[in-house]
Amino acid sequence: SCGQLFCGSCRESLEQRGVTNCPTCRAVFDISPKEQVRLLRQLVARSDGRHTQYAQYNLGLCYADGFGVVQDDAKALRWLRLAADKGHARSQFSIGVFYERGTGVAHDGAEAVRWY
């Protein structure tokens, strides 16, 4: 797994053309949430590569939403921070949202702005 799970908007157009696997890593699109988490954990356990930050971001989202794992804001922030520290913009924005809403951390508008 490349850690991106799937591109998002590209998935629909790919599926319309009969493509059922990620064009980056060939992983099957439709796998269970627990299997997605397993593959993401496997990816981040390897040495840093070009897809590691995507896997870290997606693990953060899994923990934030309870997708395939028990919902855990602290673990979500940990994974998001790892990706954010690599320059992953969506992770940085997500951390800002955590601070703005006071989710898993004390509400801190200034810290939220710093991450946005």
Side-chain angles (χ1 to χ4, degrees), residues 49-113:
R50 69 184 182 121
H51 298 294
T52 304
Q53 63 183 336
Y54 297 102
Q56 291 167 334
Y57 167 70
N58 281 308
L59 269 173
L61 294 184
C62 288
Y63 278 104
D65 298 335
F67 182 81
V69 293
V70 175
Q71 195 277 335
D72 187 324
D73 291 330
K75 287 182 181 178
L77 280 166
R78 175 181 170 264
W79 287 111
L80 291 171
R81 174 70 77 131
L82 288 168
D85 289 346
K86 290 178 176 65
H88 190 267
R90 287 183 178 176
S91 294
Q92 293 166 345
F93 181 84
S94 295
I95 292 170
V97 171
F98 271 68
Y99 278 100
E100 182 178 354
R101 295 180 180 167
T103 304
V105 293
H107 170 78
D108 187 335
E111 186 68 9
V113 169

Side-chain angles (χ1 to χ4, degrees), residues 1-3 5-6 20-31 39:
S1 171
C2 64
L5 300 180
F6 50 83
T20 58
N21 295 26
C22 173
T24 303
C25 70
R26 306 289 181 234
V28 177
F29 283 142
D30 292 319
I31 59 176
L39 292 172

